[in-house]
Amino acid sequence: MDFESLRNTVIEFVRDHQAWAPVITGIIAFCESLVVLSLLVPATVILIGIGALIGSGAIPFLPVMVGAAIGAILGDWVSYEIGRYYKDGAKRIWPLGRYPEMVAKGEAFCQRWGAWAIFVGRFIGPARAVVPLIAGVALLPRLWFQLANLSSAFLWAFVWLAPGAGLIEWLRRT
């Protein structure tokens, strides 16, 4: 199954099973935020498509946004804990082991910015799932990690779902 087929299948499933939209969106956001798995799931386009379903009035915005945020929080948390557990060995996980310069840049970014790296990294595509892992390797304190993780996840979910849900149209009318 290619990415286009996966995207269409998930969006059709959400359209047909609207009550499951928050859970499905949470699973998609989890996959997008989990190291390695994020490479295999076209979550961004799926989230935008689900946002369009929200914009059509078929699905309520808030529960889906909360589902996406919770999924993203859990995905980053698992990635962070993998980094803490495996320490430097986590840097050898595929595909990170193939890009040591990217990992070094991620480490420098985390060392320089601390918890802000988690917040900002969530909005940078390739860094989204890698920065939490590197933060775990670098032993960023859990409290600071979780504060950045929680706050950025809700903003991230809003940013990806709101345009399709009608935010742009609403702004045009006001």
Side-chain angles (χ1 to χ4, degrees), residues 77-135:
W77 191 358
V78 170
S79 295
Y80 171 83
E81 292 299 336
I82 289 170
R84 283 186 72 95
Y85 183 80
Y86 288 105
K87 296 182 181 43
D88 283 334
K91 294 185 250 179
R92 292 187 289 279
I93 295 173
W94 178 87
L96 299 181
R98 297 178 65 193
Y99 303 99
E101 64 282 345
M102 180 183 75
V103 172
K105 286 180 182 179
E107 284 181 294
F109 186 66
C110 283
Q111 292 294 341
R112 180 172 182 196
W113 296 102
W116 283 108
I118 303 305
F119 194 95
V120 172
R122 185 175 305 277
F123 296 92
I124 302 170
R128 187 172 4 267
V130 176
V131 170
L133 178 86
I134 299 299

Side-chain angles (χ1 to χ4, degrees), residues 140-158:
L140 179 72
R142 279 190 176 100
L143 175 62
W144 291 111
F145 169 79
Q146 289 299 1
L147 289 172
N149 185 24
L150 292 168
S151 59
S152 66
F154 282 95
L155 181 60
W156 175 83
F158 178 83

Side-chain angles (χ1 to χ4, degrees), residues 2 15 26 43 45 55 69 84 117 138 148 170:
D2 63 1
R15 183 177 27 251
V45 294
R84 283 186 72 95
W170 180 80

Side-chain angles (χ1 to χ4, degrees), residues 2-67:
D2 63 1
F3 285 152
E4 184 73 17
S5 299
L6 180 60
R7 178 185 63 94
N8 291 337
T9 301
V10 171
I11 290 172
E12 287 175 25
F13 186 86
V14 170
R15 183 177 27 251
D16 295 342
H17 302 89
Q18 297 169 8
W20 287 94
V23 173
I24 295 165
T25 306
I27 291 168
I28 295 299
F30 176 81
C31 293
E32 172 76 1
S33 300
L34 188 64
V35 68
V36 179
L37 190 57
S38 65
L39 298 171
L40 307 174
V41 178
T44 302
V45 294
I46 293 172
L47 291 173
I48 292 170
I50 292 172
L53 290 176
I54 293 168
S56 72
I59 302 170
F61 180 77
L62 191 58
V64 174
M65 188 192 87
V66 170

